[in-house]
Amino acid sequence: LSPIMTAQNSDNGSSADLKSLEPLDEGNEMSRGLTNRHVQFIAIGGTIGTGLFLGSGKSIALTGPSIIFVYIGVGLIMFLLMRAIGEMMYSDPSQHTFINFITRYLGRGWGKFAGWTYWIVLIMTGMTEITAVSTYFVTFFRMFGIELHGWKWLIELCFLVVLTAINLIAVKVFGEAEFWFASIKVFAIIAFIIIGLLAMFGAIPIAGYDHAP
């Protein structure tokens, strides 16, 4: 067979596979509650973690501008990884997560191991996020003379309850909350960039300096 014939047969087979997957959702009684803006901002907000605001400052202070090469290297690896996963999901839409691909190609044991490992990582990441929120609260109110360090556990507990409730009420509520939280992240980054540029060019005074360093 010529390469053209082979490609055509492959395309026809892919189309047939996609059509054969349509009956999988026939008995699905769930409705889609997320709009395009919800999905887009969830994706944007997911890439902006607390590490960008809490951990990056210390990293930059320790390493200087060279930290940008670390971010570029890690970002390139993540781009290639997500591109590969996207290609795999496009070729086989019946597999909804990377756990499914691990189970299919490496076996059920490796799939369970990857699933539980991913769950543990998510739990640890979630607790780290909650801890970061309480740190933000303590630091923010300390500027006004209000000391909340002894109440960090209560702040973390309240946020855990609120976030759990948002996730359990309805997917539309979750999407709306994620949209506004992600918007705050984006606006904060834009504000930081503008303030940083103004400080660099001397438009904003910097404590300890008569002029921009």
Side-chain angles (χ1 to χ4, degrees):
L1 295 177
S2 64
I4 297 178
M5 295 271 302
T6 304
Q8 289 177 346
N9 292 334
S10 177
D11 292 339
N12 292 334
S14 299
S15 300
D17 292 338
L18 291 175
K19 291 180 180 179
S20 65
L21 294 174
E22 293 178 359
L24 293 177
D25 288 332
E26 288 181 354
N28 190 352
E29 299 180 357
M30 294 186 294
S31 60
R32 295 184 180 274
L34 298 179
T35 62
N36 287 335
R37 67 182 178 90
H38 291 154
V39 175
Q40 292 171 0
F41 271 79
I42 287 174
I44 295 174
T47 61
I48 308 172
T50 54
L52 180 63
F53 301 104
L54 188 61
S56 61
K58 186 175 182 179
S59 300
I60 294 173
L62 292 175
T63 61
S66 61
I67 191 67
I68 191 172
F69 296 110
V70 177
Y71 287 137
I72 292 175
V74 174
L76 180 60
I77 294 173
M78 293 303 298
F79 171 78
L80 296 175
L81 178 62
M82 298 307 296
R83 181 63 184 267
I85 294 177
E87 292 285 345
M88 294 176 69
M89 296 191 71
Y90 181 79
S91 64
D92 188 0
S94 64
Q95 309 297 324
H96 300 294
T97 66
F98 69 94
I99 304 296
N100 296 117
F101 286 108
I102 294 175
T103 303
R104 178 175 180 179
Y105 295 112
L106 297 181
R108 186 177 298 274
W110 284 106
K112 288 184 177 181
F113 175 78
W116 281 106
T117 303
Y118 188 58
W119 181 81
I120 294 173
V121 170
L122 289 178
I123 294 297
M124 296 178 64
T125 302
M127 295 302 101
T128 303
E129 301 277 342
I130 295 296
T131 305
V133 169
S134 64
T135 303
Y136 291 144
F137 259 73
V138 171
T139 304
F140 178 78
F141 284 99
R142 186 176 293 164
M143 295 187 300
F144 301 98
I146 302 175
E147 184 58 51
L148 297 177
H149 188 271
W151 298 95
K152 287 186 66 174
W153 65 272
L154 183 59
I155 297 172
E156 296 168 3
L157 181 61
C158 290
F159 264 87
L160 181 61
V161 171
V162 171
L163 293 178
T164 303
I166 290 175
N167 280 268
L168 294 178
I169 293 173
V171 68
K172 187 175 183 180
V173 175
F174 166 77
E176 200 66 32
E178 284 288 328
F179 171 79
W180 289 108
F181 287 151
S183 300
I184 293 173
K185 290 181 181 181
V186 173
F187 292 144
I189 290 176
I190 295 174
F192 290 159
I193 293 174
I194 294 175
I195 293 173
L197 291 174
L198 292 175
M200 287 175 58
F201 292 103
I204 296 178
I206 302 176
Y209 294 91
D210 296 330
H211 54 82

